[in-house]
Amino acid sequence: MSDTTVQANQAEREAYYARVGKTEHLSPLWTTTLVPPLPHLYVKAQPHLWDFDNEMRALLLEAGGLITPKEANRRVLNLVNPGFNGQPKILESLYAGLQMILPGECAPAHKHTPSALRFIMEGKGAWTAVSGERSFMEPGDFIITPSMTWHDHGHDGDGPFFWMDGLDIPIVGCFGAMFFEAYPQDRAPQTREPGDSNARYGANMRPVTGSWDKPESPIFHYPYSRSREALETLRKNGELDPYDGVKLEYIDPTRGGAAMPTISAFLQLLPKGFRTETYRTTENIVFSPVEGIGKIVVGEPGAEKEIAFKPRDIFAVPCWVPFRLEADSEACLFSYSDRVSQQKLGLWRDVRGNA
Ligand code: 1HN
């Protein structure tokens, strides 16, 4: 079979495109690059690091003298990726923010369709309440606030308290399914004692009666001490993956999958001097080191950038950009990504090595 030829010349085609263009609601597929062979045309985000100790912390402290969490709803600085022209996203699919609460303040109760996680940076004595249960937060703790669960934050201790917020806002936004509701009072009622959900589901056991039917983990607070200890044991046992060092995922104990339906989260240990192999994945990843210093080498072969990291920095690795991590001292890194979303949609892939 041969394609029949058409007689039209370029000028006729251009005239046609101009007429179609005027309709404003039609365009020829063949003049657009909707599905390029590789992700690069779609990935606007750049690899980037935000410095907590030397930049964000002071700016957020300053906001403490300008606005209360009640006025602001949340006192948060958005981490705006330099590739997004001011749009408040850290990566194509993920939002990141840095939040501060001061002693005595109230971040009032609300709920929304985006799923949220918190990773604690600094402070003592602040708590968060999720679905009626309060929990005191410590640096390195991982906390989830699943879609449409009531949550509010308070602080009964001394000094400023900081954490990173990670949300799936761009994912929810691409479906349009955005909903938000403020609770009629500042605080949602406490319906369960502190520690209740960890007692029910956090001891490698579960209640014999009833069943957990929500799409997220019934555990909402994963203390750093437990996760760190697990990594330490595995490191001592010599269990090192060339791409990850020792890396564990925060899971929903009732199903074994990610703690929330859309966002995956991990804690990873790299022994001093360890250098991971170069790795590339469709996953969009946000890292925040808890302990240790090192660097990330990120970018296409020949155009790599070296970015030094230290505790409480936040750095973003976009889809399909090769990277490797180097630990100058023993380093423990938290990370979250859209892996579970991509896997559910059958999109996730990775390349181990420089292929
Ligand atoms: C939110 O609800 C919180 O509850 C933090 O602490 C950051 C960023 C965007 C939209 C909602 C919170 C947020 C957020």
Side-chain angles (χ1 to χ4, degrees):
M1 273 226 303
S2 71
D3 212 356
T4 50
T5 54
V6 292
Q7 296 305 314
N9 60 30
Q10 196 55 26
E12 287 173 291
R13 286 180 178 168
E14 296 294 346
Y16 171 80
Y17 299 154
R19 267 194 297 126
V20 172
K22 270 205 194 111
T23 68
E24 284 176 0
H25 47 258
L26 289 169
S27 75
L29 169 63
W30 67 93
T31 64
T32 52
T33 314
L34 260 191
V35 187
L38 290 165
H40 308 114
L41 275 179
Y42 268 80
V43 180
K44 300 278 185 269
Q46 295 167 18
H48 190 79
L49 179 139
W50 289 258
D51 185 323
F52 176 86
D53 287 355
N54 300 306
E55 189 186 8
M56 292 191 287
R57 188 183 189 280
L59 282 171
L60 207 44
L61 269 178
E62 208 178 318
L66 294 173
I67 194 158
T68 66
K70 262 178 85 163
E71 284 176 284
N73 200 349
R74 296 293 187 261
R75 188 196 286 121
V76 176
L77 286 179
N78 303 323
L79 276 63
V80 182
N81 191 290
F84 289 142
N85 252 324
Q87 219 192 332
K89 307 197 288 187
I90 187 161
L91 288 164
E92 311 301 323
S93 56
L94 296 170
Y95 167 94
L98 190 73
Q99 181 158 180
M100 184 188 71
I101 185 165
L102 294 169
E105 287 184 337
C106 167
H110 68 208
K111 64 180 180 180
H112 36 68
T113 45
S115 302
L117 64 84
R118 324 208 176 281
F119 191 71
I120 313 309
M121 297 288 191
E122 180 195 318
K124 212 173 156 46
W127 50 265
T128 191
V130 179
S131 304
E133 183 180 334
R134 277 190 191 183
S135 193
F136 281 86
M137 306 183 277
E138 301 210 12
D141 289 1
F142 168 66
I143 288 160
I144 61 166
T145 307
S147 181
M148 291 313 264
T149 54
W150 293 113
H151 53 283
D152 55 299
H153 319 299
H155 188 358
D156 305 332
D158 302 314
F161 196 100
F162 299 88
W163 66 78
M164 169 170 71
D165 292 301
L167 287 90
D168 58 0
I169 294 171
I171 300 177
V172 178
C174 92
F175 294 112
M178 198 67 73
F179 294 88
F180 173 95
E181 197 179 332
Y183 197 77
Q185 284 90 44
D186 283 350
R187 300 286 184 212
Q190 286 181 253
T191 54
R192 285 174 293 148
E193 290 302 315
D196 188 273
S197 46
N198 259 302
R200 280 175 207 271
Y201 292 99
N204 288 328
M205 303 182 90
R206 66 179 179 196
V208 200
T209 49
S211 62
W212 180 258
D213 56 5
K214 306 230 171 80
E216 70 266 4
S217 168
I219 305 264
F220 70 93
H221 185 171
Y222 300 73
Y224 185 58
S225 53
R226 280 191 73 179
S227 316
R228 183 65 177 83
E229 191 184 337
L231 291 177
E232 185 61 23
T233 301
L234 293 175
R235 186 189 64 79
K236 282 202 195 111
N237 294 349
E239 196 138 324
L240 285 180
D241 178 273
Y243 294 90
D244 295 327
V246 187
K247 189 169 182 180
L248 293 174
E249 180 173 6
Y250 295 95
I251 59 156
D252 163 3
T254 68
R255 277 168 290 237
M260 291 192 290
T262 50
I263 313 178
S264 303
F266 311 89
L267 195 69
Q268 152 178 35
L269 191 66
L270 305 174
K272 182 179 162 126
F274 190 80
R275 189 182 143 153
T276 69
E277 299 287 331
T278 300
Y279 178 72
R280 197 201 271 272
T281 168
T282 51
E283 215 168 317
N284 294 278
I285 314 175
V286 177
F287 284 97
S288 184
V290 195
E291 300 171 37
I293 55 166
K295 47 188 156 311
I296 175 167
V297 180
V298 60
E300 293 298 331
E304 295 101 339
K305 271 205 309 185
E306 206 177 278
I307 307 175
F309 66 73
K310 60 185 182 306
R312 293 173 296 283
D313 285 344
I314 296 171
F315 57 93
V317 181
C319 171
W320 215 240
V321 180
F323 72 97
R324 65 182 159 80
L325 297 164
E326 289 183 29
D328 298 331
S329 66
E330 182 172 87
C332 189
L333 283 79
F334 170 79
S335 58
Y336 70 95
S337 81
D338 55 10
R339 180 193 293 216
V340 59
S341 286
Q342 290 199 29
Q343 285 179 334
K344 283 176 182 166
L345 297 174
L347 300 172
W348 183 86
R349 56 166 102 181
D350 70 346
V351 176
R352 299 197 151 214
N354 236 335

